[in-house]
Amino acid sequence: MATPHDWSSDIYRVVRSRHITTIATVPDAGLTRVLALCDDDPDRRVVTLTSEQEGIGLIVGLWLGGQCGALFMQSSGTGNCINALSLAANVHAPCPMLITMRGDEGEGNPWQVPMGQAAATTLRAMGVTCFGVTQAAQAGATFDAAVNLAFGDRKATAVLISQQVIGIKHFEK
Amino acid sequence: MTGGERFKLVDASGRLRRRPLIASLFLHHDALIVTGLGTPTYDVASIGDRSENFYLWGAMGLAVMTGLGVAIAQPKRRIVVITGDGEMLMGIGSLATVANVAPTNLAILVLDNQRFGETGLQIGLTAGTTDIAAVAKGAGIELTGDMRSANDLPLASDVLFRQPGPVLYVAHISPEQDTKVLPSMDGRFLAERFRRAVGVDG
């Protein structure tokens, strides 16, 4: 069996090349490796949040002060961000997001399905441009495009990484 | 109200009044200011609109986190977040986030009138059991304080402007509402002039 594509390293390279200095997060299993890569980088800071919506305020504040941030979270956290996104929209702040999905085909916990299925819909309803990634090899290029659009057009963008890429969480006794 | 009464620091019951309090604390300081939506925005604008003020007109609960972002990006500047008790409670988790990041240049001033002033002065949770300074301390913000009278102002001013952050002060204020002073609601304009003021391209 071929070695799985290391999409986390691809994302981390984009974080570096796009000069994102702060990663705001409520962690997710699928984000573990990319968050560790960012945390080990002396030029980057990972800020752990109590709720994902805090990340929108943090990223806008960073941008007001001249730095670039990004929000990494699980799809269930997108629901916590909805009203917060009005801040990014009103000030036209770049707000790139990386979202690892739950609630896709094969999800083992039905409680994850409603928000997972609604994640892209609700983000788009708030004006966020969303790109889906279903193959690990696409993740880096798609995230790079999303960050570029966020800063070029001063808007919120999101890359949603499918459970096909990150794997299905199994619930076994 | 006569001209003289307008500048009195306390009301007839001896409670601090928000506008003279903000004027006393901030009129001669060059801190970067982030305000929570509603009356704190009008209070700060009442002492003079300036590029170094960033007003939130929505996104309730995000004032402290926006201030934290500015504090990280502008480590040489003092940042003061000025917000109300309701806005602070909606983003109360951000006190834990702030305490863990521990920015030495961030101060938080909560104007606590125990009410939702913007929506009709409905009673808030700090009129009941909730103590925001105590929550902040529990979150890990070691230097906190409460301001209840004019005597408390010198210490509060020292903490807000000179002590290493993160720090939080709660000003327990009169529920009286003043005439609205409305700065621009144009988020793009407010953001671009703030960025220019701190030396970033608009």
Side-chain angles (χ1 to χ4, degrees):
Chain A
M1 187 177 159
T3 309
H5 187 88
D6 183 8
W7 64 273
S8 298
S9 291
D10 293 347
I11 298 287
Y12 171 65
R13 276 191 284 275
V14 175
V15 166
R16 285 191 64 90
S17 66
R18 294 287 179 185
H19 308 289
I20 294 169
T21 52
T22 297
I23 304 297
T25 192
V26 174
D28 182 38
L31 295 169
T32 304
R33 178 163 158 74
V34 67
L35 288 173
L37 290 169
C38 293
D39 206 29
D40 287 344
D41 183 339
D43 297 328
R44 259 134 279 272
R45 178 200 299 260
V46 174
V47 174
T48 304
L49 313 165
T50 69
S51 173
E52 292 83 355
Q53 64 195 16
E54 293 176 5
I56 308 298
L58 187 72
I59 290 168
V60 171
L62 286 163
W63 178 73
L64 287 172
Q67 287 191 8
C68 303
L71 174 58
F72 288 8
M73 62 183 159
Q74 187 190 93
S75 54
S76 48
T78 59
N80 295 343
C81 293
I82 298 304
N83 184 49
L85 285 163
S86 61
L87 172 59
N90 273 90
V91 307
H92 297 265
C95 191
M97 292 177 268
L98 180 73
I99 297 162
T100 40
M101 291 302 299
R102 297 293 302 271
D104 283 344
E105 180 186 340
E107 169 65 53
N109 178 358
W111 292 59
Q112 290 285 354
V113 174
M115 192 64 243
Q117 286 290 307
T121 307
T122 48
L123 288 170
R124 287 192 174 110
M126 286 304 294
V128 179
T129 302
C130 297
F131 301 114
V133 169
T134 55
Q135 293 177 15
Q138 301 171 338
T142 305
F143 186 60
D144 189 56
V147 174
N148 188 42
L149 180 65
F151 283 93
D153 205 26
R154 287 178 47 177
K155 72 186 308 291
T157 64
V159 171
L160 294 85
I161 310 279
S162 164
Q163 278 178 288
Q164 290 172 252
V165 174
I166 56 179
I168 302 292
K169 182 177 179 181
H170 294 287
F171 290 84
E172 290 158 355
K173 285 185 182 170
Chain B
M1 189 184 292
T2 67
E5 284 170 342
R6 181 177 303 175
F7 301 107
K8 280 186 181 165
L9 197 53
V10 294
D11 69 6
S13 307
R15 292 173 298 194
L16 288 166
R17 297 175 61 225
R18 52 196 312 150
R19 290 272 166 91
L21 174 69
I22 291 296
S24 302
L25 288 171
F26 291 94
L27 206 48
H28 302 294
H29 283 281
D30 63 354
L32 303 175
I33 295 177
V34 174
T35 65
L37 79 173
T39 320
T41 286
Y42 316 145
D43 295 333
V44 170
S46 76
I47 59 169
D49 185 30
R50 59 202 270 276
S51 300
E52 294 86 353
N53 297 348
F54 182 76
Y55 315 107
L56 276 80
W57 281 98
M60 185 166 173
L62 290 192
V64 165
M65 288 305 298
T66 305
L68 176 61
V70 177
I72 290 171
Q74 291 287 325
K76 291 178 180 162
R77 297 296 297 265
R78 188 76 171 186
I79 289 84
V80 184
V81 174
I82 306 173
T83 192
D85 49 290
E87 208 274 348
M88 185 70 258
L89 285 173
M90 192 174 282
I92 199 72
S94 56
L95 295 180
T97 307
V98 162
N100 280 278
V101 174
T104 57
N105 58 336
L106 180 65
I108 301 164
L109 173 61
V110 180
L111 300 175
D112 184 357
N113 66 354
Q114 306 186 350
R115 282 163 179 79
F116 293 92
E118 188 64 13
T119 54
L121 291 171
Q122 297 92 339
I123 296 296
L125 302 184
T126 56
T129 58
T130 303
D131 178 338
I132 290 174
V135 174
K137 193 147 266 192
I141 295 177
E142 290 178 11
L143 185 48
T144 67
D146 291 278
M147 223 182 310
R148 298 178 194 280
S149 75
N151 295 336
D152 297 328
L153 254 66
L155 180 58
S157 179
D158 180 62
V159 169
L160 289 171
F161 295 109
R162 281 176 287 282
Q163 295 302 316
V167 298
L168 179 142
Y169 239 88
V170 178
H172 300 273
I173 57 168
S174 165
E176 69 178 14
Q177 292 287 92
D178 303 280
T179 309
K180 285 186 172 70
V181 178
L182 304 174
S184 172
M185 287 186 181
D186 182 340
R188 189 165 200 145
F189 163 75
L190 293 169
E192 287 176 359
R193 73 170 188 170
F194 185 93
R195 279 165 58 84
R196 278 194 296 272
V198 298
V200 186
D201 288 339

